Amino acid sequence: MRVSAKRGPFKRSFKWPVICWVISDEDHPAHPACAGHKPKVREIMRDFDVRGKAPMPIALEADITNDSPAEPVLEVEGPGQSSTSVVEQTHFEPQAASGASSSRRRQHTSSLLSLPQNALSNIADRLRPVDVLSLASSSRELQTAVQQTPLAEIRRRTARRVQAIWNGLIRYDVDNPFAALMYPGVTESLAPNFDCLTRAQQGRLVAFIEGQLGPERNSVLNDIGANLAGLMPELQERLVALVEGLQDPEHRGLALQALGGGAPAVAAELQERLVTVAEGLDGYDCSLGVWGLGLGVGRLSPEFQERLVALAERLHEAEDRVYALRGITLAGLRPDLQQRLFVLANSINEAEQRVWGLAAFAQEVASLAPALQQELVRLAEGLGEQDRASVLRGFGAGVASLAPALQQEVVRLAERLGEQNRASVLRDFGAGVAGLEPNLQKRLVAIAERLASAADRASALEGLGTGMARLAVEVQERLVALVERLDQTERAAALQALGADLGRLASELQERLLSVAEGIHHRADRVRAYRALTGGVSPLAAELTPRLTAFANSLADPEYWARVLAAMLPTREQSK
């Protein structure tokens, strides 16, 4: 099937994809065209790219930047056809087509338009955003229906935005359309939005990766990482084949490290092939593969979990074992397999590497079985101070997941550390402090209050201030007092550490922190303080607005004023 259009004097011919929506009786009366279908089946979508279903690629190559009724005209290709269309921006003015095709188009449009809004939302949730965009572009009526359905409209706008950005990226260098993808973070930002790219666009991206060598190829694969499943299945298979075909074992290991995090979301056949590649590696190269596949090992089948743990146990060098252990995510891993990995970490002969292995387990403490949590805390107690601090830092926010008795033991171990180590441990505990009992929170704040160095107190505040609004009120007041005691050079950093939760504090505490910001002399630090005060989840109390405005107006330098204006932009989650 094909829907095509040309600019200028043109004619269009339509051949619409077959779409059959089957709605359960409780949702909507059955459409006459759906007679004979069994009830309770919600949607059957043929030819559209429904997740896990046969795809319908839609090529969008236009600059999609406005929401006027002038939509991109689409070339819609059916399964098995190529995806090489070029879409031009033009007004949607269907010409008279044959009576049969026009009637069919009206019939399908009418069927969709007759669905209730919740049914359209369900449909939009199962379509890729780029397919929602295609659907909305098919007619003015469907565009209006999609725009009036909140979820569908969000997905349509997301696809439009990504398409506009994609077009800007590939036009960056006329000689090499994909040159912009090699800049740090570009593909990493694009990867979560693969579902907003057409099959043709994804195919061109994969072809570009296949043509890269060494570091350039691994850089792009790293950026794709856990988003491997966002590509079409046949393109996932091409990337797996690329990994298998690399001649250098280290290159295969590095490619596995890059793509392994995406393995849990791809077909079991592709998982099998990736694990087999890892099993064909040795030493350091194998540890790279275990690191990559270990990122999502808890979401793999029990068989694959067992094979990856066996791979880690096969490593002989201490450094290789530690590297593999640091990459494995223990969440979802069977307790007996966690135990085997813990024994592996604790059996490392080299003292320094053994501590690194235990610290890797500490980072996953929230996912450990209670018996392993208890054993880990016991082992930390027997280490020297520097090694003990390394393990305690590893606990991080996971300290809140420990049983109350173990939390008390961890706090006691922190109190016994030297000053510099105490500051770094408090910093790394972060949001976990809010999950402790109030008396333990107070003991940790007391540690910070006793630190002699202002820099160490500021470092401790980076952790203690995370999730500040969830701390006991007395603890909040003591933290504000700590900020007030800091040197000029440390105050802006402290306000940044507290920033996310400032708007949720009592207004008198907000006022004291605003006074701290107003007392900062250095202009760049004042800008940082302003960003902290205005960049939180909630705004400051309304009665502080005049002082906050005056504070902003005091930053008259054009550079700093521009940064202040940028700080005023709303903080929003990007739609996926």
Side-chain angles (χ1 to χ4, degrees), residues 532-552:
L533 293 170
T534 58
V537 176
S538 304
L540 297 188
E543 60 265 29
L544 298 178
T545 300
R547 285 176 59 185
L548 196 60
T549 302
F551 184 60

Side-chain angles (χ1 to χ4, degrees), residues 20-31 34 36-45 53 115 119 122-123 126:
C20 180
W21 313 111
V22 183
I23 308 298
S24 69
D25 296 336
E26 64 193 23
D27 290 326
H28 193 260
H31 189 275
C34 302
H37 285 291
K38 295 180 180 180
K40 305 297 183 184
V41 180
R42 293 190 177 274
E43 299 99 13
I44 298 175
M45 288 164 270
K53 303 288 193 290
L115 295 176
N122 291 336
I123 291 165
R126 297 194 60 204

Side-chain angles (χ1 to χ4, degrees), residues 37 97 104 117 134 199 201 274 277 302 314 319 435 449 526:
H37 285 291
R104 186 184 309 161
Q117 193 174 79
S134 168
R199 178 192 298 267
Q201 291 166 339
L274 289 171
V277 170
R314 199 179 77 186
E319 290 184 2
E449 290 170 332
R526 287 171 66 84

Side-chain angles (χ1 to χ4, degrees), residues 461-474:
L461 279 168
E462 288 182 33
L464 295 173
T466 307
M468 183 177 177
R470 294 186 290 119
L471 298 175
V473 174
E474 178 188 340

Side-chain angles (χ1 to χ4, degrees), residues 445-469:
V445 172
I447 295 175
E449 290 170 332
R450 292 194 298 268
L451 295 172
S453 164
D456 286 340
R457 290 198 299 273
S459 178
L461 279 168
E462 288 182 33
L464 295 173
T466 307
M468 183 177 177

Side-chain angles (χ1 to χ4, degrees), residues 23-90:
I23 308 298
S24 69
D25 296 336
E26 64 193 23
D27 290 326
H28 193 260
H31 189 275
C34 302
H37 285 291
K38 295 180 180 180
K40 305 297 183 184
V41 180
R42 293 190 177 274
E43 299 99 13
I44 298 175
M45 288 164 270
R46 278 181 271 167
D47 296 334
F48 275 99
D49 267 332
V50 182
R51 298 171 199 166
K53 303 288 193 290
M56 181 189 73
I58 306 115
L60 298 168
E61 302 285 346
D63 180 20
I64 308 173
T65 56
N66 66 65
D67 268 334
S68 70
E71 290 281 358
V73 179
L74 307 178
E75 283 198 11
V76 183
E77 298 173 359
Q81 295 178 309
S82 64
S83 298
T84 57
S85 57
V86 176
V87 179
E88 298 178 291
Q89 183 79 22
T90 183

Side-chain angles (χ1 to χ4, degrees), residues 10 82 117 168 178 290 348 386 423-425 484 493 560:
F10 58 87
S82 64
Q117 193 174 79
F178 294 97
V290 174
I348 296 175
Q386 199 62 42
S424 64
V425 167
E484 292 170 328
Y560 294 119

Side-chain angles (χ1 to χ4, degrees), residues 171-499:
R171 292 169 184 163
Y172 177 80
D173 186 333
V174 293
D175 296 323
N176 181 4
F178 294 97
L181 299 182
M182 299 307 298
Y183 288 109
V186 174
T187 306
E188 184 179 9
S189 297
L190 181 65
N193 296 291
F194 280 158
D195 57 359
C196 295
L197 298 182
T198 66
R199 178 192 298 267
Q201 291 166 339
Q202 290 188 4
R204 292 167 65 189
L205 175 61
V206 170
F208 166 72
I209 297 171
E210 290 169 331
Q212 299 304 300
L213 299 175
E216 292 81 9
R217 178 185 57 238
N218 286 332
S219 174
V220 180
L221 292 178
N222 266 312
D223 287 342
I224 292 174
N227 296 288
L228 176 62
L231 296 172
M232 294 294 186
E234 67 271 19
L235 300 179
Q236 298 170 16
E237 195 279 334
R238 278 170 59 180
L239 289 183
V240 171
L242 172 66
V243 175
E244 292 171 323
L246 297 174
Q247 297 300 311
D248 189 316
E250 183 177 358
H251 290 174
R252 290 200 299 277
L254 288 168
L256 275 179
Q257 184 184 34
L259 287 180
V266 302
E269 175 193 352
L270 297 183
Q271 294 177 6
E272 166 72 33
R273 288 167 62 179
L274 289 171
V275 173
T276 300
V277 170
E279 289 173 331
L281 300 172
D282 296 308
Y284 171 69
D285 304 328
C286 182
S287 73
L288 293 172
V290 174
W291 171 296
L293 294 168
L295 291 175
V297 63
R299 292 182 289 127
L300 296 177
S301 70
E303 176 197 349
F304 290 144
Q305 290 185 9
E306 180 97 28
R307 287 166 66 178
L308 279 177
V309 171
L311 270 179
E313 292 172 327
R314 199 179 77 186
L315 298 170
H316 299 297
E317 296 294 330
E319 290 184 2
D320 295 339
R321 286 188 181 183
V322 170
Y323 197 81
L325 289 170
R326 291 176 66 185
I328 293 176
T329 301
L330 299 176
L333 200 61
R334 295 199 323 252
D336 62 306
L337 297 181
Q338 289 185 2
Q339 178 67 42
R340 283 168 58 180
L341 290 174
F342 187 80
V343 170
L344 181 66
N346 199 31
S347 65
I348 296 175
N349 293 325
E350 298 179 23
E352 182 179 1
Q353 296 296 331
R354 177 170 170 267
V355 169
W356 280 111
L358 294 175
F361 261 81
Q363 292 172 353
E364 295 285 327
V365 67
S367 303
L368 292 180
L372 287 182
Q373 291 180 344
Q374 185 172 355
E375 180 66 11
L376 188 58
V377 173
R378 185 190 66 79
L379 287 174
E381 185 175 11
L383 298 173
E385 176 173 319
Q386 199 62 42
D387 294 339
R388 189 189 319 132
S390 295
V391 176
L392 291 179
R393 282 195 295 269
F395 283 134
V399 67
S401 69
L402 297 173
L406 293 180
Q407 290 178 359
Q408 290 191 38
E409 181 62 20
V410 168
V411 171
R412 186 182 67 82
L413 292 176
E415 290 170 329
R416 290 169 46 193
L417 295 172
E419 181 155 315
Q420 186 173 0
N421 284 325
R422 288 203 301 268
S424 64
V425 167
L426 291 177
R427 179 196 63 217
D428 289 354
F429 278 173
V433 176
L436 302 179
E437 293 293 326
N439 66 312
L440 296 181
Q441 295 177 8
K442 294 174 186 176
R443 285 169 61 181
L444 291 176
V445 172
I447 295 175
E449 290 170 332
R450 292 194 298 268
L451 295 172
S453 164
D456 286 340
R457 290 198 299 273
S459 178
L461 279 168
E462 288 182 33
L464 295 173
T466 307
M468 183 177 177
R470 294 186 290 119
L471 298 175
V473 174
E474 178 188 340
V475 175
Q476 294 177 9
E477 293 173 345
R478 290 168 65 178
L479 288 180
V480 171
L482 262 179
V483 176
E484 292 170 328
R485 288 169 45 199
L486 292 176
D487 298 336
Q488 280 276 330
T489 55
E490 309 291 349
R491 290 181 179 179
L495 288 172
Q496 283 184 310
L498 306 181

